[in-house]
Protein backbone atom coordinates (compact mmCIF):
# COMPACT_ATOMS: atom_id res chain seq x y z
CA UNK A 1 0.00 0.00 0.00
CA UNK A 2 1.63 3.24 -1.13
CA UNK A 3 1.56 5.89 1.61
CA UNK A 4 1.57 8.50 -1.16
CA UNK A 5 3.76 10.94 0.70
CA UNK A 6 1.54 11.04 3.78
CA UNK A 7 3.73 12.12 6.67
CA UNK A 8 2.66 10.63 9.95
CA UNK A 9 6.09 11.12 11.48
CA UNK A 10 8.38 8.28 12.50
CA UNK A 11 6.82 5.08 13.69
CA UNK A 12 6.88 4.47 17.41
CA UNK A 13 9.12 1.71 18.67
CA UNK A 14 6.11 -0.54 19.30
CA UNK A 15 4.34 0.04 15.98
CA UNK A 16 7.64 -0.34 14.14
CA UNK A 17 8.27 -3.67 15.84
CA UNK A 18 4.75 -4.90 15.08
CA UNK A 19 4.95 -3.73 11.45
CA UNK A 20 8.27 -5.53 11.03
CA UNK A 21 6.43 -8.80 11.66
CA UNK A 22 4.28 -8.10 8.60
CA UNK A 23 7.09 -6.99 6.24
CA UNK A 24 6.86 -9.85 3.75
CA UNK A 25 8.87 -10.14 0.54
CA UNK A 26 6.17 -11.78 -1.60
CA UNK A 27 2.69 -10.61 -2.66
CA UNK A 28 0.26 -10.01 0.18
CA UNK A 29 -3.21 -8.71 0.96
CA UNK A 30 -3.33 -5.37 2.76
CA UNK A 31 -5.39 -5.59 5.95
CA UNK A 32 -4.68 -2.07 7.25
CA UNK A 33 -2.38 -0.19 9.59
CA UNK A 34 -1.41 -0.57 13.23
CA UNK A 35 -3.27 1.21 16.04
CA UNK A 36 -1.58 1.59 19.43
CA UNK A 37 -2.48 3.77 22.40
CA UNK A 38 -5.40 5.14 20.41
CA UNK A 39 -3.16 6.38 17.56
CA UNK A 40 -3.13 4.93 14.04
CA UNK A 41 0.21 4.78 12.23
CA UNK A 42 -0.29 4.91 8.42
CA UNK A 43 3.26 3.63 7.86
CA UNK A 44 2.86 0.50 9.99
CA UNK A 45 1.19 -1.88 7.57
CA UNK A 46 -0.58 -5.14 8.46
CA UNK A 47 -0.64 -7.73 5.67
CA UNK A 48 -1.27 -11.41 4.98
CA UNK A 49 0.90 -13.33 2.46
CA UNK A 50 -1.01 -14.72 -0.52
CA UNK A 51 0.93 -17.95 -0.17
CA UNK A 52 -0.42 -18.46 3.36
CA UNK A 53 -4.11 -18.16 2.52
CA UNK A 54 -4.38 -21.93 2.06
CA UNK A 55 -3.56 -22.20 5.78
CA UNK A 56 -7.15 -21.00 6.21
CA UNK A 57 -8.50 -18.36 8.53
CA UNK A 58 -11.20 -16.98 10.78
CA UNK A 59 -13.09 -13.69 10.54
CA UNK A 60 -15.06 -13.19 13.73
CA UNK A 61 -16.87 -10.46 15.61
CA UNK A 62 -20.21 -9.29 16.92
CA UNK A 63 -22.96 -8.14 14.58
CA UNK A 64 -22.22 -4.75 13.01
CA UNK A 65 -18.47 -4.71 13.68
CA UNK A 66 -17.33 -4.95 10.04
CA UNK A 67 -16.98 -8.67 9.20
CA UNK A 68 -18.74 -8.29 5.84
CA UNK A 69 -16.59 -5.31 4.86
CA UNK A 70 -13.46 -7.30 5.75
CA UNK A 71 -14.68 -10.08 3.48
CA UNK A 72 -15.35 -7.49 0.73
CA UNK A 73 -11.90 -5.96 1.16
CA UNK A 74 -10.18 -9.33 0.90
CA UNK A 75 -12.31 -10.42 -2.07
CA UNK A 76 -11.33 -7.28 -4.01
CA UNK A 77 -7.62 -7.84 -3.54
CA UNK A 78 -7.86 -11.55 -4.27
CA UNK A 79 -9.66 -10.83 -7.54
CA UNK A 80 -7.05 -8.24 -8.50
CA UNK A 81 -4.35 -10.85 -7.83
CA UNK A 82 -6.05 -13.38 -10.12
CA UNK A 83 -7.50 -15.54 -7.33
CA UNK A 84 -11.12 -16.70 -7.62
CA UNK A 85 -13.43 -16.17 -4.64
CA UNK A 86 -16.57 -17.91 -3.41
CA UNK A 87 -18.73 -16.32 -0.72
CA UNK A 88 -22.33 -16.47 0.44
CA UNK A 89 -24.14 -13.13 0.27
CA UNK A 90 -26.68 -13.18 3.07
CA UNK A 91 -27.97 -9.59 2.94
CA UNK A 92 -26.96 -8.73 -0.67
CA UNK A 93 -24.29 -6.39 0.74
CA UNK A 94 -21.53 -8.13 -1.20
CA UNK A 95 -23.30 -7.54 -4.52
CA UNK A 96 -21.72 -4.09 -4.36
CA UNK A 97 -18.48 -5.73 -5.56
CA UNK A 98 -20.00 -5.51 -9.05
CA UNK A 99 -20.10 -1.69 -8.89
CA UNK A 100 -17.41 0.92 -8.33
CA UNK A 101 -17.58 2.62 -4.93
CA UNK A 102 -18.15 6.27 -4.18
CA UNK A 103 -15.89 8.49 -2.13
CA UNK A 104 -17.15 10.48 0.83
CA UNK A 105 -15.74 12.14 3.96
CA UNK A 106 -15.55 8.87 5.91
CA UNK A 107 -13.68 7.11 3.12
CA UNK A 108 -11.32 10.09 2.73
CA UNK A 109 -10.52 9.89 6.45
CA UNK A 110 -9.96 6.13 6.23
CA UNK A 111 -7.62 6.69 3.26
CA UNK A 112 -5.60 9.05 5.43
CA UNK A 113 -5.58 6.72 8.42
CA UNK A 114 -4.44 3.72 6.39
CA UNK A 115 -2.10 5.49 3.96
CA UNK A 116 -4.12 4.16 1.03
CA UNK A 117 -3.50 7.10 -1.32
CA UNK A 118 -4.06 4.90 -4.39
CA UNK A 119 -7.72 4.34 -3.41
CA UNK A 120 -9.80 4.47 -6.59
CA UNK A 121 -13.45 3.46 -7.09
CA UNK A 122 -13.27 0.01 -8.72
CA UNK A 123 -15.74 -2.63 -9.92
CA UNK A 124 -14.85 -6.33 -9.86
CA UNK A 125 -15.94 -9.28 -12.05
CA UNK A 126 -18.80 -10.91 -10.16
CA UNK A 127 -20.93 -14.01 -10.76
CA UNK A 128 -24.27 -14.41 -8.98
CA UNK A 129 -25.77 -17.75 -7.91
CA UNK A 130 -28.97 -18.75 -6.14
CA UNK A 131 -29.68 -22.18 -4.69
CA UNK A 132 -32.03 -23.92 -7.10
CA UNK A 133 -32.72 -20.61 -8.83
CA UNK A 134 -34.81 -19.44 -5.86
CA UNK A 135 -33.73 -15.82 -5.71
CA UNK A 136 -31.50 -13.72 -7.91
CA UNK A 137 -28.76 -15.60 -9.71
CA UNK A 138 -27.79 -18.57 -11.83
CA UNK A 139 -29.36 -21.73 -10.35
CA UNK A 140 -26.97 -23.80 -8.26
CA UNK A 141 -28.06 -27.42 -7.82
CA UNK A 142 -26.72 -30.75 -6.63
CA UNK A 143 -28.14 -34.23 -7.05
CA UNK A 144 -29.18 -36.18 -3.98
CA UNK A 145 -26.73 -38.92 -5.01
CA UNK A 146 -23.85 -36.46 -5.12
CA UNK A 147 -24.90 -34.79 -1.87
CA UNK A 148 -24.63 -38.08 -0.02
CA UNK A 149 -26.11 -39.45 3.22
CA UNK A 150 -23.96 -37.68 5.82
CA UNK A 151 -24.64 -34.17 4.51
CA UNK A 152 -28.30 -34.95 3.88
CA UNK A 153 -28.67 -36.36 7.41
CA UNK A 154 -27.32 -33.03 8.71
CA UNK A 155 -29.94 -31.14 6.70
CA UNK A 156 -32.74 -33.46 7.87
CA UNK A 157 -31.67 -33.32 11.51
CA UNK A 158 -31.37 -37.11 11.82
CA UNK A 159 -29.80 -38.88 14.78
CA UNK A 160 -26.96 -41.39 14.42
CA UNK A 161 -29.29 -44.40 13.98
CA UNK A 162 -31.35 -42.65 11.34
CA UNK A 163 -28.19 -41.45 9.58
CA UNK A 164 -26.95 -45.06 9.42
CA UNK A 165 -30.28 -46.16 7.95
CA UNK A 166 -30.09 -43.41 5.34
CA UNK A 167 -26.58 -44.56 4.43
CA UNK A 168 -27.97 -48.07 3.81
CA UNK A 169 -30.60 -46.59 1.49
CA UNK A 170 -27.92 -44.74 -0.50
CA UNK A 171 -25.73 -47.84 -0.63
CA UNK A 172 -28.57 -49.97 -1.94
CA UNK A 173 -29.49 -47.39 -4.59
CA UNK A 174 -25.84 -47.06 -5.65
CA UNK A 175 -25.41 -50.83 -5.92
CA UNK A 176 -28.57 -51.20 -8.00
CA UNK A 177 -27.74 -48.34 -10.34
CA UNK A 178 -30.69 -46.19 -9.27
CA UNK A 179 -29.82 -42.52 -9.67
CA UNK A 180 -31.08 -40.29 -6.87
CA UNK A 181 -31.35 -36.96 -8.62
CA UNK A 182 -33.92 -35.26 -6.43
CA UNK A 183 -35.99 -35.84 -3.30
CA UNK A 184 -38.74 -37.64 -5.24
CA UNK A 185 -36.18 -40.29 -6.19
CA UNK A 186 -35.12 -40.74 -2.58
CA UNK A 187 -38.71 -41.07 -1.36
CA UNK A 188 -39.44 -43.62 -4.09
CA UNK A 189 -36.49 -45.78 -3.03
CA UNK A 190 -37.35 -45.61 0.67
CA UNK A 191 -40.95 -46.50 -0.17
CA UNK A 192 -39.78 -49.54 -2.10
CA UNK A 193 -37.35 -50.70 0.59
CA UNK A 194 -40.06 -50.62 3.24
CA UNK A 195 -42.30 -52.81 1.08
CA UNK A 196 -42.29 -56.59 1.52
CA UNK A 197 -40.28 -57.18 -1.63
CA UNK A 198 -37.71 -54.46 -0.99
CA UNK A 199 -37.15 -55.30 2.67
CA UNK A 200 -36.04 -58.79 1.65
CA UNK A 201 -33.36 -57.34 -0.62
CA UNK A 202 -32.17 -54.97 2.07
CA UNK A 203 -32.09 -57.57 4.83
CA UNK A 204 -28.55 -58.67 3.98
CA UNK A 205 -27.34 -55.12 4.68
CA UNK A 206 -28.94 -55.03 8.10
CA UNK A 207 -32.35 -53.73 7.12
CA UNK A 208 -34.13 -50.47 7.83
CA UNK A 209 -36.88 -50.44 10.43
CA UNK A 210 -40.20 -49.10 9.14
CA UNK A 211 -40.36 -46.67 12.06
CA UNK A 212 -36.93 -45.26 11.13
CA UNK A 213 -37.90 -45.04 7.46
CA UNK A 214 -41.07 -43.25 8.53
CA UNK A 215 -39.06 -40.62 10.41
CA UNK A 216 -36.79 -40.07 7.42
CA UNK A 217 -39.77 -39.73 5.07
CA UNK A 218 -41.44 -37.23 7.38
CA UNK A 219 -38.28 -35.13 7.55
CA UNK A 220 -37.96 -35.24 3.77
CA UNK A 221 -41.59 -34.14 3.40
CA UNK A 222 -40.94 -31.24 5.76
CA UNK A 223 -37.89 -30.27 3.73
CA UNK A 224 -39.99 -30.35 0.55
CA UNK A 225 -42.64 -28.19 2.23
CA UNK A 226 -39.91 -25.61 2.86
CA UNK A 227 -39.15 -25.51 -0.87
CA UNK A 228 -35.91 -27.47 -0.67
CA UNK A 229 -36.78 -29.66 -3.66
CA UNK A 230 -35.66 -26.77 -5.86
CA UNK A 231 -32.09 -27.27 -4.68
CA UNK A 232 -31.78 -30.90 -5.75
CA UNK A 233 -31.63 -31.85 -9.41
CA UNK A 234 -29.75 -31.29 -12.63
CA UNK A 235 -27.77 -29.77 -14.21
CA UNK A 236 -25.49 -30.06 -11.23
CA UNK A 237 -22.86 -27.39 -10.68
CA UNK A 238 -19.40 -28.31 -11.89
CA UNK A 239 -17.37 -26.80 -9.07
CA UNK A 240 -14.48 -26.19 -11.51
CA UNK A 241 -16.61 -23.29 -12.77
CA UNK A 242 -15.84 -21.50 -9.50
CA UNK A 243 -12.13 -21.23 -10.39
CA UNK A 244 -12.45 -18.99 -13.44
CA UNK A 245 -10.61 -15.79 -14.30
CA UNK A 246 -11.63 -13.05 -16.69
CA UNK A 247 -10.40 -13.79 -20.19
CA UNK A 248 -10.46 -10.45 -21.98
CA UNK A 249 -10.88 -6.70 -21.65
CA UNK A 250 -9.17 -4.32 -19.26
CA UNK A 251 -9.66 -6.73 -16.37
CA UNK A 252 -8.02 -9.72 -18.05
CA UNK A 253 -6.69 -12.27 -15.58
CA UNK A 254 -8.75 -11.13 -12.62
CA UNK A 255 -10.26 -13.78 -10.40
CA UNK A 256 -14.04 -13.98 -10.64
CA UNK A 257 -15.91 -13.40 -7.38
CA UNK A 258 -18.73 -15.96 -7.06
CA UNK A 259 -21.55 -14.86 -4.76
CA UNK A 260 -24.29 -17.20 -3.56
CA UNK A 261 -27.47 -15.43 -2.50
CA UNK A 262 -28.69 -16.62 0.89
CA UNK A 263 -31.42 -14.04 1.53
CA UNK A 264 -33.72 -16.65 3.10
CA UNK A 265 -31.08 -18.06 5.45
CA UNK A 266 -33.18 -17.77 8.59
CA UNK A 267 -35.79 -20.22 7.23
CA UNK A 268 -33.38 -22.97 6.13
CA UNK A 269 -30.06 -22.39 7.89
CA UNK A 270 -28.97 -26.05 8.04
CA UNK A 271 -29.68 -26.61 4.34
CA UNK A 272 -27.75 -23.53 3.25
CA UNK A 273 -24.72 -24.11 5.46
CA UNK A 274 -24.55 -27.80 4.55
CA UNK A 275 -24.83 -26.97 0.86
CA UNK A 276 -21.74 -24.79 1.25
CA UNK A 277 -19.94 -27.73 2.85
CA UNK A 278 -20.93 -29.90 -0.13
CA UNK A 279 -19.31 -27.37 -2.46
CA UNK A 280 -16.10 -27.45 -0.44
CA UNK A 281 -16.07 -31.25 -0.25
CA UNK A 282 -16.67 -31.51 -4.00
CA UNK A 283 -13.81 -29.10 -4.71
CA UNK A 284 -11.53 -31.25 -2.58
CA UNK A 285 -12.51 -34.45 -4.35
CA UNK A 286 -12.38 -33.07 -7.90
CA UNK A 287 -9.25 -30.90 -7.89
CA UNK A 288 -5.74 -32.32 -8.36
CA UNK A 289 -3.04 -32.15 -5.70
CA UNK A 290 -0.85 -29.06 -6.19
CA UNK A 291 0.88 -28.63 -2.83
CA UNK A 292 1.79 -25.14 -1.64
CA UNK A 293 1.40 -22.51 -4.36
CA UNK A 294 2.55 -18.89 -4.48
CA UNK A 295 -1.14 -18.03 -4.28
CA UNK A 296 -4.30 -20.14 -3.97
CA UNK A 297 -6.62 -21.04 -6.83
CA UNK A 298 -9.69 -20.19 -4.80
CA UNK A 299 -10.51 -18.67 -1.42
CA UNK A 300 -13.76 -19.99 0.02
CA UNK A 301 -15.56 -17.89 2.64
CA UNK A 302 -18.03 -19.82 4.79
CA UNK A 303 -20.29 -17.23 6.41
CA UNK A 304 -22.57 -17.89 9.41
CA UNK A 305 -20.28 -20.83 10.17
CA UNK A 306 -21.88 -21.49 13.55
CA UNK A 307 -24.99 -22.82 11.77
CA UNK A 308 -22.88 -25.50 10.11
CA UNK A 309 -21.84 -27.01 13.44
CA UNK A 310 -25.09 -26.74 15.39
CA UNK A 311 -26.25 -30.25 16.41
CA UNK A 312 -23.73 -31.82 14.04
CA UNK A 313 -23.13 -35.57 14.26
CA UNK A 314 -19.63 -36.91 15.09
CA UNK A 315 -19.33 -38.25 11.53
CA UNK A 316 -20.12 -34.82 10.11
CA UNK A 317 -17.64 -33.04 12.37
CA UNK A 318 -14.93 -35.56 11.54
CA UNK A 319 -15.55 -35.05 7.82
CA UNK A 320 -15.43 -31.25 8.13
CA UNK A 321 -12.17 -31.44 10.09
CA UNK A 322 -10.60 -33.79 7.57
CA UNK A 323 -11.74 -31.75 4.57
CA UNK A 324 -10.33 -28.51 6.00
CA UNK A 325 -7.05 -30.26 6.83
CA UNK A 326 -6.59 -31.74 3.37
CA UNK A 327 -8.10 -29.17 1.00
CA UNK A 328 -5.11 -26.81 1.38
CA UNK A 329 -3.07 -29.17 -0.84
CA UNK A 330 -5.61 -28.57 -3.62
CA UNK A 331 -4.87 -24.83 -3.67
CA UNK A 332 -7.98 -23.87 -1.69
CA UNK A 333 -8.06 -21.46 1.25
CA UNK A 334 -11.05 -21.52 3.61
CA UNK A 335 -12.12 -18.66 5.87
CA UNK A 336 -14.85 -19.27 8.44
CA UNK A 337 -16.93 -16.19 9.22
CA UNK A 338 -18.84 -16.19 12.48
CA UNK A 339 -19.38 -14.21 15.69
CA UNK A 340 -17.05 -16.00 18.11
CA UNK A 341 -14.12 -18.40 17.69
CA UNK A 342 -15.91 -20.79 20.06
CA UNK A 343 -18.56 -21.26 17.36
CA UNK A 344 -16.00 -23.40 15.50
CA UNK A 345 -15.03 -26.86 16.85
CA UNK A 346 -11.52 -27.11 18.26
CA UNK A 347 -10.42 -29.60 15.60
CA UNK A 348 -11.24 -27.06 12.88
CA UNK A 349 -10.20 -23.95 14.82
CA UNK A 350 -6.72 -25.39 15.35
CA UNK A 351 -6.20 -25.38 11.57
CA UNK A 352 -7.09 -21.71 11.03
CA UNK A 353 -3.72 -19.96 10.95
CA UNK A 354 -4.96 -16.47 10.04
CA UNK A 355 -7.20 -14.57 12.49
CA UNK A 356 -9.12 -11.33 11.99
CA UNK A 357 -11.11 -10.67 15.16
CA UNK A 358 -13.50 -7.74 15.20
CA UNK A 359 -15.07 -6.41 18.39
CA UNK A 360 -16.76 -8.71 20.88
CA UNK A 361 -19.44 -7.76 23.38
CA UNK A 362 -19.37 -8.81 27.02
CA UNK A 363 -22.89 -8.06 28.23
CA UNK A 364 -23.48 -11.40 29.97
CA UNK A 365 -21.40 -13.92 31.95
CA UNK A 366 -21.47 -16.20 28.91
CA UNK A 367 -20.15 -13.34 26.74
CA UNK A 368 -17.37 -12.66 29.24
CA UNK A 369 -16.39 -16.32 29.26
CA UNK A 370 -16.32 -16.38 25.43
CA UNK A 371 -14.14 -13.25 25.48
CA UNK A 372 -11.58 -14.89 27.76
CA UNK A 373 -11.53 -18.00 25.58
CA UNK A 374 -10.92 -15.84 22.49
CA UNK A 375 -7.94 -14.13 24.14
CA UNK A 376 -6.37 -17.53 24.84
CA UNK A 377 -6.42 -18.37 21.11
CA UNK A 378 -3.99 -15.51 20.33
CA UNK A 379 -0.21 -15.42 20.73
CA UNK A 380 0.96 -13.83 23.97
CA UNK A 381 1.49 -10.07 23.58
CA UNK A 382 2.76 -7.33 25.88
CA UNK A 383 1.62 -4.60 23.49
CA UNK A 384 -2.10 -4.84 24.23
CA UNK A 385 -4.46 -5.89 26.97
CA UNK A 386 -6.40 -8.13 24.58
CA UNK A 387 -9.38 -8.69 26.83
CA UNK A 388 -9.86 -4.92 26.97
CA UNK A 389 -8.90 -4.29 23.35
CA UNK A 390 -11.43 -6.75 21.94
CA UNK A 391 -14.28 -4.80 23.56
CA UNK A 392 -12.97 -1.39 22.44
CA UNK A 393 -12.35 -2.01 18.75
CA UNK A 394 -14.20 0.41 16.48
CA UNK A 395 -16.16 -0.56 13.37
CA UNK A 396 -13.69 -1.53 10.67
CA UNK A 397 -10.99 -2.35 13.20
CA UNK A 398 -9.76 -5.79 14.21
CA UNK A 399 -7.14 -7.63 16.22
CA UNK A 400 -5.05 -9.55 13.70
CA UNK A 401 -2.45 -12.29 13.67
CA UNK A 402 -1.54 -14.28 10.55
CA UNK A 403 1.07 -16.76 9.44
CA UNK A 404 4.27 -15.29 8.04
CA UNK A 405 5.87 -16.58 4.86
CA UNK A 406 7.81 -18.99 7.06
CA UNK A 407 4.68 -20.30 8.77
CA UNK A 408 5.23 -18.56 12.12
CA UNK A 409 2.51 -16.44 13.80
CA UNK A 410 2.95 -12.70 13.36
CA UNK A 411 2.79 -10.26 16.31
CA UNK A 412 -0.72 -9.40 17.47
CA UNK A 413 -1.80 -6.11 15.85
CA UNK A 414 -4.73 -3.82 16.52
CA UNK A 415 -5.49 -2.93 12.93
CA UNK A 416 -7.54 -0.19 11.24
CA UNK A 417 -8.68 -1.57 7.91
CA UNK A 418 -8.81 0.24 4.56
CA UNK A 419 -12.09 1.06 2.85
CA UNK A 420 -13.23 -1.32 0.08
CA UNK A 421 -13.00 0.19 -3.40
CA UNK A 422 -16.29 -1.23 -4.61
CA UNK A 423 -19.73 -0.12 -3.47
CA UNK A 424 -20.34 -0.71 0.24
CA UNK A 425 -24.05 -1.31 -0.35
CA UNK A 426 -26.14 -3.62 -2.57
CA UNK A 427 -25.48 -3.10 -6.27
CA UNK A 428 -28.34 -1.66 -8.36
CA UNK A 429 -30.86 -4.36 -9.27
CA UNK A 430 -30.55 -3.64 -13.01
CA UNK A 431 -26.76 -4.08 -12.89
CA UNK A 432 -27.06 -7.41 -11.07
CA UNK A 433 -29.71 -8.69 -13.49
CA UNK A 434 -27.60 -7.68 -16.48
CA UNK A 435 -24.59 -9.54 -15.06
CA UNK A 436 -26.70 -12.68 -14.59
CA UNK A 437 -28.28 -12.52 -18.04
CA UNK A 438 -24.91 -12.04 -19.77
CA UNK A 439 -23.17 -14.81 -17.82
CA UNK A 440 -22.02 -17.89 -19.72
CA UNK A 441 -22.85 -19.95 -16.64
CA UNK A 442 -26.47 -18.80 -16.68
CA UNK A 443 -26.85 -20.29 -20.15
CA UNK A 444 -25.27 -23.52 -18.89
CA UNK A 445 -27.30 -24.00 -15.70
CA UNK A 446 -30.53 -22.00 -16.01
CA UNK A 447 -32.75 -24.67 -17.59
CA UNK A 448 -33.56 -27.54 -15.22
CA UNK A 449 -33.64 -31.01 -16.79
CA UNK A 450 -34.89 -34.37 -15.62
CA UNK A 451 -33.34 -37.55 -16.95
CA UNK A 452 -34.54 -41.03 -16.05
CA UNK A 453 -33.79 -41.89 -12.45
CA UNK A 454 -35.04 -43.99 -9.53
CA UNK A 455 -38.53 -42.45 -9.50
CA UNK A 456 -39.24 -43.23 -13.16
CA UNK A 457 -37.74 -46.71 -13.04
CA UNK A 458 -39.65 -47.77 -9.93
CA UNK A 459 -42.87 -46.14 -11.14
CA UNK A 460 -42.61 -47.87 -14.52
CA UNK A 461 -42.06 -51.25 -12.90
CA UNK A 462 -45.02 -50.73 -10.59
CA UNK A 463 -47.21 -50.21 -13.65
CA UNK A 464 -45.68 -53.20 -15.42
CA UNK A 465 -44.26 -51.17 -18.31
CA UNK A 466 -40.57 -51.73 -17.75
CA UNK A 467 -38.48 -54.61 -18.99
CA UNK A 468 -38.27 -57.41 -16.45
CA UNK A 469 -34.53 -57.59 -16.43
CA UNK A 470 -33.05 -58.50 -13.07
CA UNK A 471 -29.79 -56.84 -14.00
CA UNK A 472 -31.50 -53.50 -14.59
CA UNK A 473 -32.76 -53.24 -11.05
CA UNK A 474 -35.14 -54.75 -8.51
CA UNK A 475 -38.56 -56.15 -9.29
CA UNK A 476 -40.87 -54.06 -7.12
CA UNK A 477 -44.05 -55.91 -8.11
CA UNK A 478 -45.57 -55.31 -4.74
CA UNK A 479 -44.00 -51.94 -4.11
CA UNK A 480 -46.34 -49.05 -3.35
CA UNK A 481 -46.52 -46.33 -5.96
CA UNK A 482 -44.22 -43.47 -4.96
CA UNK A 483 -46.11 -40.45 -3.66
CA UNK A 484 -46.42 -37.62 -4.19
CA UNK A 485 -45.78 -37.44 -7.91
CA UNK A 486 -42.66 -35.69 -9.12
CA UNK A 487 -43.22 -32.13 -10.17
CA UNK A 488 -42.93 -31.52 -13.89
CA UNK A 489 -39.53 -30.60 -15.26
CA UNK A 490 -38.13 -30.08 -18.72
CA UNK A 491 -36.78 -33.32 -20.14
CA UNK A 492 -33.73 -33.44 -22.27
CA UNK A 493 -34.58 -34.64 -25.80
CA UNK A 494 -33.42 -38.22 -26.23
CA UNK A 495 -31.30 -38.80 -29.30
CA UNK A 496 -30.91 -42.21 -30.90
CA UNK A 497 -28.35 -44.15 -28.86
CA UNK A 498 -24.93 -44.77 -30.37
CA UNK A 499 -23.38 -48.23 -30.50
CA UNK A 500 -21.31 -47.42 -27.42
CA UNK A 501 -24.41 -46.21 -25.58
CA UNK A 502 -26.30 -49.38 -26.54
CA UNK A 503 -23.49 -51.51 -25.15
CA UNK A 504 -23.26 -49.48 -21.94
CA UNK A 505 -27.04 -49.69 -21.47
CA UNK A 506 -27.18 -53.44 -21.97
CA UNK A 507 -27.88 -55.79 -19.07
CA UNK A 508 -24.70 -57.75 -19.75
CA UNK A 509 -22.54 -54.64 -19.45
CA UNK A 510 -24.28 -53.61 -16.24
CA UNK A 511 -23.82 -57.10 -14.86
CA UNK A 512 -20.11 -56.88 -15.60
CA UNK A 513 -19.84 -53.53 -13.87
CA UNK A 514 -21.63 -54.80 -10.79
CA UNK A 515 -19.50 -57.88 -10.57
CA UNK A 516 -16.43 -55.63 -10.84
CA UNK A 517 -17.59 -53.57 -7.89
CA UNK A 518 -19.06 -50.71 -9.84
CA UNK A 519 -21.31 -49.28 -7.15
CA UNK A 520 -20.88 -45.53 -6.90
CA UNK A 521 -17.80 -44.82 -4.83
CA UNK A 522 -18.52 -42.64 -1.86
CA UNK A 523 -16.00 -40.44 -0.18
CA UNK A 524 -15.77 -38.07 2.76
CA UNK A 525 -19.27 -36.95 3.76
CA UNK A 526 -20.56 -39.89 1.70
CA UNK A 527 -20.56 -37.67 -1.39
CA UNK A 528 -20.45 -39.41 -4.76
CA UNK A 529 -17.96 -39.07 -7.57
CA UNK A 530 -19.07 -36.65 -10.24
CA UNK A 531 -21.00 -38.12 -13.16
CA UNK A 532 -19.10 -37.27 -16.32
Amino acid sequence: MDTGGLDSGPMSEITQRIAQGYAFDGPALELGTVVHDGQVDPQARVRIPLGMLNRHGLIAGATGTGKTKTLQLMAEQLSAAGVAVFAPDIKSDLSGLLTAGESNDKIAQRVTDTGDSTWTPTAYPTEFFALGGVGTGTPLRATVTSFGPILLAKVLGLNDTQESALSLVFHWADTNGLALLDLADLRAVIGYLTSEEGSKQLKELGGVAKSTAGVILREISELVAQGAEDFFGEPELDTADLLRRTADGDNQGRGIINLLELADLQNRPALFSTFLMWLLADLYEELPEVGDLDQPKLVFFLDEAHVLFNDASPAFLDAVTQTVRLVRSKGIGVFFVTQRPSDVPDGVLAQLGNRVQHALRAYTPADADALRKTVRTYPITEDYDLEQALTQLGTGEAVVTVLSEHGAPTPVAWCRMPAPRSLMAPAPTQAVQAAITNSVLHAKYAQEVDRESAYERLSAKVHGTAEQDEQDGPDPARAPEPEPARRQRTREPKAEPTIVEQIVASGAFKSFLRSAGSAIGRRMFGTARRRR
Side-chain angles (χ1 to χ4, degrees), residues 84-342:
V85 173
F86 180 89
D89 192 8
I90 296 172
K91 294 174 288 188
S92 298
D93 290 344
L94 291 175
S95 65
L97 284 157
L98 179 69
T99 307
E102 301 172 354
S103 185
N104 55 41
D105 291 343
K106 289 184 177 180
I107 288 180
Q109 182 60 53
R110 189 55 64 107
V111 165
T112 300
D113 290 345
T114 58
D116 188 11
S117 64
T118 62
W119 190 93
T120 305
T122 308
Y124 295 86
T126 309
E127 190 81 49
F128 296 91
F129 291 95
L131 285 182
V134 179
T136 304
T138 297
L140 188 158
R141 305 182 187 91
T143 64
V144 171
T145 285
S146 176
F147 210 68
I150 296 177
L151 289 177
L152 189 58
K154 176 69 167 64
V155 172
L156 296 174
L158 304 182
N159 62 31
D160 291 349
T161 300
Q162 294 155 358
E163 180 181 316
S164 297
L166 186 63
S167 296
L168 287 178
V169 171
F170 272 76
H171 178 76
W172 183 87
D174 292 347
T175 303
N176 286 275
L178 293 173
L180 304 176
L181 304 184
D182 54 23
L183 294 175
D185 290 322
L186 182 57
R187 285 192 289 183
V189 169
I190 294 174
Y192 170 73
L193 290 176
T194 54
S195 69
E196 182 180 354
E197 183 68 23
S199 61
K200 292 178 181 178
Q201 297 193 34
L202 193 62
K203 188 175 182 180
E204 293 181 2
L205 296 176
V208 175
K210 286 192 175 183
S211 59
T212 301
V215 171
I216 296 173
L217 286 172
R218 284 195 299 273
E219 295 297 335
I220 292 173
S221 296
E222 183 177 336
L223 199 62
V224 171
Q226 295 175 358
E229 62 180 346
D230 295 307
F231 307 147
F232 294 100
E234 292 185 314
E236 182 176 78
L237 176 74
D238 182 350
T239 44
D241 285 333
L242 302 179
L243 305 178
R244 297 179 305 133
R245 298 183 183 183
T246 53
D248 50 31
D250 295 336
N251 293 327
Q252 184 175 0
R254 288 196 168 194
I256 293 180
I257 300 171
N258 303 279
L259 299 180
L260 175 62
E261 180 182 272
L262 294 182
D264 198 26
L265 174 70
Q266 68 277 5
N267 292 329
R268 289 183 290 265
L271 175 63
F272 287 151
S273 62
T274 310
F275 216 102
L276 296 179
M277 203 63 228
W278 170 78
L279 287 175
L280 184 60
D282 195 72
L283 283 165
Y284 168 72
E285 298 293 354
E286 296 297 324
L287 294 178
E289 293 278 346
V290 293
D292 289 328
L293 302 173
D294 292 337
Q295 62 182 48
K297 295 180 178 179
L298 172 74
V299 174
F300 192 103
F301 292 92
L302 219 165
D303 206 351
E304 297 295 332
H306 64 281
V307 178
L308 184 68
F309 302 110
N310 286 345
D311 303 318
S313 69
F316 182 85
L317 291 177
D318 288 346
V320 172
T321 303
Q322 190 175 0
T323 300
V324 173
R325 181 184 301 117
L326 298 177
V327 76
R328 53 170 281 200
S329 65
K330 303 298 183 85
I332 306 295
V334 183
F335 276 73
F336 291 85
V337 185
T338 189
Q339 293 197 10
R340 300 181 297 193
S342 57

Side-chain angles (χ1 to χ4, degrees), residues 457 471-472 504-515 518:
R457 291 183 61 186
Q471 299 297 338
D472 285 340
V504 170
S506 69
F509 185 77
K510 291 177 181 177
S511 177
F512 165 75
L513 287 181
R514 288 184 186 129
S515 65
S518 66

